[in-house]
Amino acid sequence: MSLPRASLPPATSPSNAPRPPSLPNLRYEEGEALRVLESLLGASGAVSLKPDLALPEVRPALLEVGADRIRRAVLRFLTDEGGFRERQFLRDGTRVTGRVWDSHLGEGLQLRYTYITEALWIGLTRVLPGLQGKAQAPERKAPKNLRELVPPGAAGTGDWVFLALADGNLGALTLPQEERVALQRKLRAVSPLAALFALEADAPQDELQGFLLPLTERPASRLVECLEERLAARWLQVLGRAYRTWEEPARLVARWTTHGRVLRAWLGALDQARRMDLARPLLRAAAALSTEVFPGGGDAVRQRLSATLGLRNLREREDLLAAVAAVVGVGTELLRERELLGQERYGDDRYDEAQVYLRDVQTTLAPSRRGLEELTRALANTLG
């Protein structure tokens, strides 16, 4: 039995969200399953289950409570930030002004859940006791590969949000690193929203652009409209962590290369879909690079990267600088896109889109252009 499918009415907001059902009498192991779910949703801290915990059956009562908690957590995730500000959006290529939860903007938002959400939640509940005891009892038989907890099939928009939340909260389950990384890769391969939040995906840029493209199309584009501020904040967090945390140079190069590839693939998807009104998170992140991710100026950033422990030769140093420069270069591409869309004239196909984007660039990225250009020059792949 899968979780009930859910949809949000056009003007759903925290004020008219449905009340939770009364809590039925649940068994001990069902209560533990809900604790696992709350951790995946980011609503509680670390969870440790008893080694002998078993969930032999999944009763409808447990699924009903779990489905309600998932729907409410996803709704909070979508509505907590940014709903009060008026913005410009595109609807069928035409500019529309309003708040993200205004009824005339919300038409068509459907959150659809499939068996994928239930399989991950229940599957983790069943294998977690063995995984958490693995470090203490090496002789314990290893459980099934966690990637198998995510079944094949097309995921729904609700699944995408749930998997993105789970991806960001797996640390609360204290999984062994190898198993956690393998599961995160699978979540990001199924949910484009998870991949976008994490700036991690195992695919060439052209394939990745196609993978992210559905997020630019309704109804999924509504998710991006609701999560603008969360996306920008998460990207700055991911990039800041990559800059502050030491890793072996080859791993650092791979990490920065992946981050840059995802950002460029997303920009390419927005341009392909003619939805540059969804570029606000990119603009905000690019504007904050010189202050929040790389403080101290371009020369200081170059010197710090050049002094990374483990660099063996000039080639490795230049590879690292080039990988970081590719991330910074997304800001340059955004400015270049402004010049291209600035050529659109009234009556052209992308005129309304261009007007929204030009306004966003002017208010968000243009004031930080000097700092961005300084970073770009400092990270230029030149010998010296």
Side-chain angles (χ1 to χ4, degrees):
M1 181 181 298
S2 62
L3 288 173
R5 298 191 177 195
S7 62
L8 295 179
T12 300
S13 67
S15 62
N16 62 11
R19 293 183 179 181
S22 58
L23 191 65
N25 292 324
L26 297 178
R27 301 166 182 169
Y28 167 75
E29 62 270 17
E30 292 172 329
E32 293 295 88
L34 289 177
R35 285 213 302 142
V36 172
L37 179 61
E38 293 286 351
S39 285
L40 291 174
L41 295 171
S44 66
V47 170
S48 179
L49 302 182
K50 294 182 178 180
D52 60 349
L53 179 76
L55 186 67
E57 63 174 327
V58 183
R59 297 193 304 156
L62 174 61
L63 291 180
E64 180 184 358
V65 175
D68 177 74
R69 294 192 181 184
I70 290 171
R71 287 194 295 264
R72 295 175 69 82
V74 167
L75 180 58
R76 285 195 302 271
F77 186 65
L78 293 174
T79 59
D80 271 355
E81 297 183 23
F84 60 89
R85 291 188 298 106
E86 281 202 346
R87 286 170 278 174
Q88 286 191 333
F89 305 91
L90 289 182
R91 289 296 181 266
D92 299 322
T94 302
R95 280 176 288 174
V96 179
T97 300
R99 297 176 176 85
V100 72
W101 285 104
D102 287 348
S103 58
H104 69 289
L105 290 173
E107 183 179 357
L109 176 58
Q110 297 287 326
L111 291 180
R112 186 176 66 87
Y113 297 90
T114 72
Y115 183 66
I116 290 175
T117 289
E118 177 190 333
L120 177 63
W121 164 35
I122 298 300
L124 272 174
T125 302
R126 285 174 167 158
V127 304
L128 196 56
L131 283 172
Q132 290 184 331
K134 191 176 178 182
Q136 301 174 358
E139 72 281 0
R140 183 189 298 272
K141 184 178 180 180
K144 63 191 291 189
N145 191 319
L146 290 192
R147 292 173 61 90
E148 299 174 12
L149 297 180
V150 184
T157 48
D159 297 320
W160 288 355
V161 182
F162 176 74
L163 297 183
L165 286 168
D167 178 34
N169 294 310
L170 281 179
L173 300 184
T174 60
L175 295 167
Q177 182 177 4
E178 184 178 350
E179 282 85 351
R180 176 180 57 79
V181 170
L183 179 55
Q184 285 180 316
R185 286 176 177 168
K186 184 59 179 288
L187 298 181
R188 296 162 189 173
V190 173
S191 168
L193 192 64
L196 191 59
F197 263 101
L199 292 182
E200 294 277 355
D202 297 326
Q205 185 171 326
D206 56 344
E207 294 181 15
L208 184 54
Q209 181 170 321
F211 178 60
L212 296 175
L213 194 61
L215 287 173
T216 69
E217 303 164 355
R218 294 170 66 186
S221 60
R222 291 282 291 138
L223 303 178
V224 179
E225 291 174 347
C226 295
L227 296 171
E228 287 183 358
E229 294 184 9
R230 287 189 181 275
L231 275 170
R234 178 69 182 278
W235 293 342
L236 292 171
Q237 181 185 50
V238 168
L239 297 176
R241 188 188 307 121
Y243 183 56
R244 294 188 301 269
T245 304
W246 179 85
E247 282 187 290
E248 191 271 331
R251 290 181 177 271
L252 274 179
V253 171
R255 184 177 300 279
W256 282 104
T257 299
T258 299
H259 294 339
R261 184 169 64 245
V262 176
L263 288 170
R264 290 193 302 276
W266 179 234
L267 176 55
L270 296 180
D271 190 35
Q272 178 182 341
R274 300 187 173 190
R275 285 303 308 268
M276 291 301 293
D277 62 308
L278 299 179
R280 278 183 284 256
L282 282 172
L283 294 170
R284 288 180 186 142
L289 284 177
S290 61
T291 55
E292 295 187 32
V293 179
F294 304 113
D299 289 340
V301 172
R302 184 181 179 90
Q303 291 173 11
R304 175 170 177 171
L305 291 172
S306 300
T308 297
L309 291 176
L311 286 174
R312 295 173 298 181
N313 51 51
L314 188 62
R315 175 61 180 273
E316 289 188 348
R317 187 197 75 170
E318 296 304 316
D319 286 346
L320 177 58
L321 291 173
V324 177
V327 171
V328 177
V330 173
T332 303
E333 293 182 34
L334 289 165
L335 291 170
R336 186 180 302 118
E337 189 71 21
R338 179 186 67 171
E339 302 305 320
L340 293 174
L341 287 179
Q343 300 175 22
E344 293 288 311
R345 296 295 179 259
Y346 183 76
D348 291 346
D349 290 343
R350 303 184 69 175
Y351 175 76
D352 276 17
E353 176 196 6
Q355 293 304 301
V356 175
Y357 183 67
L358 294 176
R359 175 182 176 183
D360 289 339
V361 171
Q362 187 62 32
T363 58
T364 304
L365 185 56
S368 303
R369 180 169 185 168
R370 180 173 297 180
L372 191 64
E373 290 175 342
E374 181 190 355
L375 279 174
T376 301
R377 287 193 299 270
L379 293 170
N381 196 13
T382 56
L383 300 179

